[in-house]
Amino acid sequence: MRKRGGTEVFRITGARQGLADDVRGRQRRYVISMTVRTLSVIAAAVLWDVQRHVAVVALALGVLLPYIAVVIANAGRESAPSLPSTFVPPPVRPALGAAEASADRETEPPSGRN
């Protein structure tokens, strides 16, 4: 699509998420992971004498979650599945003579050649 001045129109529908939004999302995921870790360590301490097998699972979660949270937080920005084209292509407009020529070909009888 071209504007009146002949300038190209940029397409932004396939643009990546902004850097500030990406960092904010990773920070939020890290805080949620650390909150789950803290709750699992507290649950392990509370349940140690009541249900030891549940406490051991909670303690294992509390030990493994920091590593997983750091890996997720440092994973970086998402990769774009495919880069969008920078410009919107101009619309295709068939020539006036092309429609008439194709209509004439459709109305002609077959020539009998193979």
Side-chain angles (χ1 to χ4, degrees):
M1 299 176 111
R2 294 197 181 256
K3 288 189 174 185
R4 292 181 187 172
T7 60
E8 297 284 343
V9 177
F10 290 96
R11 179 185 302 192
I12 63 167
T13 57
R16 287 183 174 185
Q17 182 181 17
L19 183 60
D21 293 334
D22 182 57
V23 170
R24 187 176 19 241
R26 287 192 281 147
Q27 287 174 343
R28 183 176 50 243
R29 286 190 299 271
Y30 182 78
V31 167
I32 290 170
S33 298
M34 289 296 103
T35 303
V36 170
R37 181 218 183 202
T38 303
L39 293 175
S40 67
V41 170
I42 291 171
V46 170
L47 295 174
W48 191 258
D49 289 330
V50 180
Q51 292 183 345
R52 189 154 298 183
H53 61 282
V54 176
V56 170
V57 170
L59 189 61
L61 182 66
V63 169
L64 294 176
L65 215 81
Y67 172 75
I68 295 169
V70 168
V71 169
I72 291 172
N74 291 333
R77 299 187 74 182
E78 81 279 357
S79 58
S82 64
L83 295 175
S85 64
T86 307
F87 299 104
V88 177
V92 178
R93 295 184 180 145
L96 292 176
E100 294 171 5
S102 65
D104 290 341
R105 277 188 240 132
E106 291 175 1
T107 58
E108 290 179 11
S111 62
R113 288 189 224 166
N114 289 336

